[in-house]
Amino acid sequence: MDKFKTQLYSSQLKADLDLFNQLQILIDALSTTENMPESLTILQKILAFDSHQSKMVRIDNDYWFPSTHWVTIAFAKISDQASLSPTKVVLPNAQKVAELHFSEWPNAAFRFVQAPLAAGGYYLVETAQNLRVLYWDIAHKRFYLDTNQFAKLVQTQAVQLAGLDALDIFQKRLTAIASQFIEIAYDIDLPGIDAQKQVDLEMVRKDLSTNILDSLFVLGAKQQFILKRMTGEKSGAIITIGEVSLKLTTHHINDGHEQWTYDIIDDNRNVTIYTLFQQLPFFYQWYSDHLTVVGLKDKREVFVD
Amino acid sequence: MTIQDIQTILQPELVNRLERKISYLSDLQSAIKNNQISQVYQLLDPHKFNDNLQKILSETSVAQLDSLVADIKKDIAAFLAPELINYVVTNFDFLTLEPVADDTTLYDVYIGDWWDHRQLGTLNVLTVVLTSDDSITSELIETAKLSDEETLNATKIQEVKKVITGLESFLADNTKRSLELQVIEDQLAEISANKSGLFGRSDKVTREALEKKQELLIATQKRMPEVEEKLNKQQAYLLRFEKEDALRQLELQAISAYYVDVPTFITELQHIYVSYMTKLDQK
């Protein structure tokens, strides 16, 4: 039988409490800081916190949150600073993961989930349809849009009901966050989200078959949107939607293949490809029918189902 | 008769013919020089010009004239084309024209400027004749007779869609079949494990029934690639039929915006020579 050493017990208890005290200091700092790089540094420390270093003290109750919770809190802060439209963190009853509510989309909720990748990182997911918006890898500074699922998300009732202005606000929000991330050397890939950058949006596959363009022609014609052959220096096809032109342009590349891109020409620079997906159901139908070919090229390797 | 006598007899006629040729080429040169396009057409084919525009008939053979300009026909066409093309696209603004490669006398004529627009015919710049594809015009006449909801390929489309639904549901059932197969395999494994024959004859019957079902399911699964290929073919048919309908619909809309019906449009095309010459004369 070992002799109970009160002093040892006291020392260990102090070490454990100090450890949790450090966590408390980090959480407090996260709540007060207004500086984005600082909040990211704090978040990384919180994520690195290992409660198992505590030998005696355990917190295992409704107030112990997983790492995704703190990712949500940090992202909400960054998101709130990036837009005039507020971002709220809501903790649904009996849940341990906070939800994000972007004011522009009042009927949609989002949460972060851990990405099943060796590199780690988190997915921002819309909760009702379980549609992924983006991948955020805090440790390796990566911020990528899941173009496939975001295109699907803009078709959902909650997002459709909110209308084009709301979509515009959300896209600007992500663009603004990305701009801040760029300043701290993030790798950013948000294809098609920025209304100022709507040319040369590359498609996944090269060399589109005539059938795929025929199919866009047929679907468009049913809605009186006429696909035309592009004239002039570039070749490809074009659909005019009021004052906006959607171009599918072909570019000859060195390997003998043709790279196709989307170019959205809007003098007002308000329209993105996602605006068109939302506004033109035939276009989205075509896009989703041929997603593996005409889908926007993104960092598909990090989007694992 | 001496050589000189023969020459004296033939000389006036020969000189006369040469003079006519020189005069013809001189007239053509003058017409081109002065941009008298109508005059150029008249000189190229006086019979056609006079017949159509009720002018005095010339006795000159078209073949004779033709031979005089045979080697510069393409250049004359290049000279005449811009004015004619401008006339056509102004008066039939839903038509698009593209020069035929290596032949300046011909232009391919398409209806509309949309994706894969169909070629309506070919325009000869020298004769101002638009040779149109009868199959396209008769399809358009037929389409015009249909109600708004109907199309020429509607029945075919309906049939192909039915086939596609069937094939898709066969493919969709594959997951169900795979699961069923797995269950059968498990059951057969269980029966094999009961070698002691506790259940005797009933085991044998069950095994046979399961094996038959397994065979059937495997055979059905083997048909997957064949069904996928069939589905691709049917989808290609569907696209073709829908595209044909879409093209006809757009063509008809374009024509109907300017003409009361398709025959009136066709008549206009057939009279393009007269209308063009009249227009030139009004200049």
Side-chain angles (χ1 to χ4, degrees):
Chain A
M1 195 178 283
D2 287 342
K3 188 182 171 192
F4 179 77
K5 293 173 181 163
T6 313
Q7 187 56 45
L8 260 181
Y9 182 88
S10 168
S11 302
Q12 187 56 55
L13 184 60
K14 185 176 183 309
D16 286 2
L17 290 174
D18 283 349
L19 189 74
F20 281 101
N21 190 40
Q22 282 166 27
L23 178 65
Q24 180 274 323
I25 291 167
L26 289 171
I27 290 169
D28 187 56
L30 184 65
S31 75
T32 52
T33 183
E34 295 298 324
N35 180 291
M36 191 269 289
E38 194 179 279
S39 58
L40 289 180
T41 310
I42 296 165
L43 175 63
Q44 271 184 282
K45 285 179 181 169
I46 293 175
L47 296 178
F49 178 81
D50 180 6
S51 66
H52 292 94
Q53 283 178 4
S54 162
K55 296 214 166 50
M56 289 164 58
V57 179
R58 287 276 179 275
I59 300 179
D60 186 14
N61 58 28
D62 289 348
Y63 299 103
W64 184 249
F65 297 109
S67 62
T68 46
H69 177 82
W70 302 110
V71 172
T72 306
I73 300 287
F75 188 82
K77 216 169 168 82
I78 297 164
S79 166
D80 206 39
Q81 287 165 356
S83 175
L84 291 173
S85 172
T87 304
K88 283 181 189 159
V89 179
V90 176
L91 193 61
N93 284 341
Q95 279 194 31
K96 283 201 164 194
V97 182
E99 283 182 355
L100 278 172
H101 288 243
F102 304 107
S103 302
E104 60 271 27
W105 283 339
N107 299 313
F110 298 81
R111 66 166 186 269
F112 274 97
V113 296
Q114 228 158 357
L117 301 172
Y122 299 84
Y123 294 139
L124 177 67
V125 176
E126 186 270 344
T127 57
Q129 310 282 332
N130 211 27
L131 292 170
R132 209 161 35 204
V133 178
L134 48 84
Y135 170 71
W136 187 21
D137 179 358
I138 300 125
H140 304 97
K141 297 187 172 184
R142 297 186 293 173
F143 192 64
Y144 303 150
L145 182 79
D146 183 338
T147 58
N148 291 359
Q149 297 204 6
F150 186 63
K152 216 178 207 176
L153 177 68
V154 302
Q155 307 299 312
T156 57
Q157 204 185 10
V159 174
Q160 286 272 10
L161 279 175
L164 285 179
D165 286 345
L167 175 60
D168 184 43
I169 292 169
F170 186 77
Q171 293 183 119
K172 281 182 177 154
R173 181 194 292 285
L174 290 191
T175 308
I177 293 171
S179 305
Q180 291 182 49
F181 282 171
I182 285 171
E183 286 176 21
I184 50 168
Y186 256 67
D187 183 29
I188 303 289
D189 187 52
L190 306 175
I193 208 108
D194 185 351
Q196 306 297 314
K197 294 173 188 167
Q198 291 296 311
V199 291
D200 291 335
L201 302 174
E202 288 189 1
M203 292 184 197
V204 175
R205 286 254 291 272
K206 296 167 187 168
D207 305 324
L208 283 199
S209 72
T210 313
N211 274 2
I212 288 181
L213 289 162
D214 280 352
S215 134
L216 180 60
F217 167 72
V218 169
L219 288 169
K222 285 180 186 169
Q223 304 296 316
Q224 292 296 315
F225 290 104
I226 313 302
L227 183 76
K228 295 182 176 181
R229 201 174 282 277
M230 214 186 275
T231 52
E233 282 176 19
K234 288 184 173 175
S235 60
I238 179 170
I239 298 181
T240 306
I241 311 114
E243 292 175 354
V244 177
S245 300
L246 164 65
K247 291 181 177 176
L248 280 67
T249 315
T250 161
H251 308 262
H252 295 284
I253 42 179
N254 293 336
D255 61 0
H257 293 280
E258 286 181 335
Q259 174 69 58
W260 284 76
T261 60
Y262 295 99
D263 300 320
I264 290 127
I265 312 300
D266 168 32
D267 289 342
N268 299 321
R269 297 206 169 191
N270 284 330
V271 173
T272 69
I273 193 164
Y274 302 101
T275 320
L276 297 182
F277 287 143
Q278 196 175 70
Q279 286 280 79
L280 307 171
F282 83 86
F283 178 45
Y284 178 70
Q285 190 193 327
W286 171 79
Y287 181 80
S288 86
D289 285 349
H290 305 283
L291 193 62
T292 53
V293 181
V294 304
L296 285 167
K297 202 185 261 183
D298 60 11
K299 302 280 188 183
R300 201 83 320 249
E301 64 275 14
V302 301
F303 297 110
V304 180
D305 290 316
Chain B
M1 228 189 291
T2 65
I3 293 172
Q4 205 172 353
D5 289 339
I6 295 168
Q7 286 174 335
T8 312
I9 293 167
L10 293 175
Q11 205 175 33
E13 175 56 20
L14 187 58
V15 168
N16 198 18
R17 284 179 66 184
L18 283 168
E19 267 175 4
R20 281 213 302 270
K21 285 190 180 192
I22 291 166
S23 159
Y24 172 79
L25 289 173
S26 165
D27 288 348
L28 188 59
Q29 183 197 37
S30 163
I32 289 172
K33 206 172 167 184
N34 298 314
N35 278 325
Q36 293 168 316
I37 308 295
S38 166
Q39 185 70 18
V40 176
Y41 279 110
Q42 186 175 7
L43 287 162
L44 286 176
D45 192 345
H47 287 265
K48 184 176 178 181
F49 188 87
N50 294 330
D51 284 352
N52 283 292
L53 299 161
Q54 286 88 44
K55 304 254 166 108
I56 305 146
L57 195 68
S58 157
E59 286 173 6
T60 325
S61 139
V62 177
Q64 283 173 350
L65 300 179
D66 207 45
S67 65
L68 285 177
V69 291
D71 60 335
I72 54 164
K73 261 186 168 179
K74 287 188 175 174
D75 298 318
I76 296 175
F79 172 78
L80 295 171
E83 182 103 28
L84 175 62
I85 302 310
N86 181 52
Y87 172 79
V88 176
V89 297
T90 310
N91 288 274
F92 303 88
D93 78 345
F94 53 93
L95 295 182
T96 46
L97 287 86
E98 285 172 21
V100 172
D102 303 325
D103 192 347
T104 52
T105 64
L106 297 176
Y107 274 74
D108 287 334
V109 180
Y110 298 87
I111 312 182
D113 59 350
W114 41 78
W115 179 254
D116 232 3
H117 53 187
R118 294 199 295 175
Q119 189 178 348
L120 176 66
T122 308
L123 176 69
N124 186 315
V125 177
L126 293 173
T127 60
V128 194
V129 169
L130 199 155
T131 321
S132 60
D133 184 338
D134 290 343
S135 66
I136 290 186
T137 49
S138 56
E139 275 177 18
L140 290 175
I141 291 170
E142 286 306 306
T143 306
K145 289 178 191 164
L146 302 172
S147 70
D148 284 350
E149 293 77 29
E150 289 174 310
T151 64
L152 285 188
N153 287 343
T155 316
K156 286 185 208 164
I157 288 172
Q158 217 174 353
E159 281 166 9
V160 172
K161 277 185 174 170
K162 267 187 203 165
V163 176
I164 287 176
T165 310
L167 295 171
E168 281 177 340
S169 96
F170 177 88
L171 294 175
D173 282 349
N174 196 46
T175 320
K176 214 167 86 184
R177 278 193 295 270
S178 298
L179 285 172
E180 217 173 324
L181 207 52
Q182 186 63 53
V183 171
I184 290 172
E185 278 165 12
D186 290 349
Q187 285 173 329
L188 284 171
E190 211 172 303
I191 291 172
S192 297
N194 281 329
K195 277 181 184 165
S196 56
L198 278 177
F199 304 104
R201 195 178 137 67
S202 71
D203 254 8
K204 196 185 167 202
V205 174
T206 314
R207 171 188 283 277
E208 279 171 1
L210 286 171
E211 278 172 349
K212 256 188 188 174
K213 212 171 175 186
Q214 186 188 33
E215 246 174 61
L216 199 69
L217 283 168
I218 291 171
T220 314
Q221 270 194 323
K222 276 186 182 161
R223 285 190 58 218
M224 286 287 288
E226 178 202 334
V227 173
E228 274 165 1
E229 201 185 316
K230 267 188 188 169
L231 179 64
N232 287 340
K233 263 190 191 166
Q234 294 298 320
Q235 280 170 334
Y237 284 141
L238 179 65
L239 181 61
R240 198 184 90 199
F241 295 147
E242 288 192 327
K243 186 181 163 189
E244 285 171 359
D245 275 348
L247 284 168
R248 281 191 287 262
Q249 218 55 46
L250 289 174
E251 288 161 359
L252 196 60
Q253 275 175 21
I255 294 168
S256 305
Y258 295 90
Y259 299 93
V260 284
D261 52 28
V262 180
T264 310
F265 164 63
I266 296 162
T267 309
E268 280 291 320
L269 287 182
Q270 285 163 348
H271 289 97
I272 197 165
Y273 180 83
V274 177
S275 57
Y276 183 47
M277 291 308 135
T278 310
K279 176 85 182 167
L280 289 174
D281 279 348
Q282 287 165 358
K283 266 194 164 182

